[in-house]
Amino acid sequence: MKKIFLHVLAVLFSVGMLAQEWHPSLTYIWEPVPPVVTPGSGTSPPSDAIILFDGSDLDQWVKPNGEPVGWKLEDGVMTVLKGTGAIHTKQAFGDIQLHLEWRAPSEIEGEGQGRGNSGVYLQGRYEIQILDCYENTTYVNGQTASVYKQHIPLANACRPPGEWQTYDIIFTAPRFKEDGSLFTPATVTVLHNGVLVQNHVKIQGNTEHIGLPAYKAHPLKQPLLLQDHSNPVSFRNIWVREL
Ligand code: MG
C-alpha cells in the first residue's frame, strides 16, 4: 500500500515538474523580429521589392554583350523582338522570390515548342520554361513551367494565348565548394497563375537542350535572363525580393 502511494506521488510529482518545465512562455521566441514589409495590392509589388520592369523603361536590362536591349517597349509592355537575343538584368541575384507576368501572342503561330516560347533563366542557367501550352502538346518535361528537361510541372495551369499569366518563383541558389564541386544544389518552387507547379524541386544543373544537366561552379549571385526564342512573348510587372 505504501509502495503504491509512493508510486502515485512520484507520478504526480513528475507530471507537476513537466507542467512547470513546459510552461508556454518557455517556447516563446521574441527575436529576431521579422522586418515589416507592406504587401502589394493588385499589381503593385511589396514594399521591399526590387523593380526589374514596371512598364516605363528597360533600364534594368542589358544584352549579354553589354549592349542596350533590342526588345520592343510599348504601352508599358516589353516584347521579344525576334533575333535581338536574350536580355539579362544588370543586377545579380542569389536566393530570391521572383514575380513576373508574361503573355503569349494571341495570334497562334507554330506548335509544340514553337508556340509562345521564351523562358526565365534563373542565374542565367536554370530555365523555367515559358511556353503557350494551352491546348498545345509538347514533351512534358519541356512544357510551360517545367524546369526545362528536368522537372515536369505538377499541373498545366495555362491561360489561353493573349491573356496575361503570372509566375511566382522561390529560388535558392546552388552553393559550390572551393574546389568547384557542388555543395548544395539549387531548389525552386513555382506557382503558375497561383497554382503550385514545382514544389521545392532540386535543380540538377544547367538546363540543357541537348544532353544531360550538369553544374558548373559560379559565384553566388548571377543575373536573371529572359530568352529570345523567336516568338513575340510579352512581359510586364517583374519584381524580385532578395532572400
Ligand atoms: Mg524556352
Side-chain angles (χ1 to χ4, degrees):
M1 192 65 188
K2 193 181 168 190
K3 222 174 182 180
I4 292 170
F5 175 74
L6 282 174
H7 184 70
V8 168
L9 202 67
V11 167
L12 284 174
F13 181 73
S14 58
V15 166
M17 281 297 287
L18 264 180
Q20 202 175 25
E21 259 177 50
W22 290 106
H23 187 275
S25 67
L26 292 172
T27 44
Y28 295 161
I29 294 171
W30 294 91
E31 282 182 326
V33 178
V36 174
V37 174
T38 309
S41 61
T43 54
S44 75
S47 58
D48 64 346
I50 298 165
I51 311 300
L52 296 178
F53 180 64
D54 67 0
S56 51
D57 56 61
L58 301 172
D59 290 357
Q60 302 301 315
W61 301 84
V62 71
K63 283 168 85 163
N65 64 5
E67 287 175 10
V69 305
W71 293 16
K72 211 166 64 180
L73 174 62
E74 213 172 63
D75 301 327
V77 170
M78 71 167 162
T79 302
V80 176
L81 193 61
K82 182 179 175 175
T84 58
I87 64 171
H88 70 72
T89 54
K90 289 178 182 169
Q91 197 173 335
F93 301 102
D95 303 341
I96 54 165
Q97 173 188 351
L98 168 69
H99 174 89
L100 67 86
E101 298 175 24
W102 59 272
R103 183 181 65 187
S106 53
E107 214 170 286
I108 295 173
E109 263 182 52
E111 57 181 335
Q113 293 284 313
R115 186 171 137 181
N117 193 333
S118 181
V120 48
Y121 282 69
L122 301 159
Q123 305 209 298
R125 298 161 168 78
Y126 314 114
E127 183 185 12
I128 308 300
Q129 176 69 299
I130 289 175
L131 191 69
D132 176 13
C133 280
Y134 186 84
E135 298 175 354
N136 176 36
T137 302
T138 186
Y139 46 94
V140 293
N141 60 346
Q143 76 174 65
T144 317
S146 58
V147 177
Y148 188 70
K149 288 194 169 174
Q150 294 186 23
H151 294 285
I152 301 161
L154 298 170
N156 180 344
C158 281
R159 296 192 201 279
E163 290 189 18
W164 284 103
Q165 317 207 32
T166 60
Y167 274 176
D168 287 283
I169 297 174
I170 294 130
F171 174 74
T172 303
R175 266 64 171 177
F176 297 93
K177 297 180 197 164
E178 263 179 29
D179 66 3
S181 62
L182 184 68
F183 181 55
T184 51
T187 60
V188 72
T189 295
V190 182
L191 288 103
H192 178 198
N193 296 324
V195 176
L196 181 69
V197 287
Q198 299 289 351
N199 186 9
H200 195 66
V201 294
K202 279 189 185 131
I203 294 176
Q204 294 149 18
N206 294 6
T207 49
E208 303 288 358
H209 180 48
I210 298 168
L212 298 174
Y215 274 108
K216 274 186 201 139
H218 59 74
L220 180 63
K221 293 191 172 190
Q222 295 287 286
L224 194 74
L225 182 143
L226 298 176
Q227 185 186 37
D228 168 9
H229 199 279
S230 302
N231 301 145
V233 174
S234 298
F235 293 88
R236 72 175 185 190
N237 198 21
I238 308 176
W239 52 260
V240 70
R241 294 182 61 244
E242 291 188 294
L243 303 177

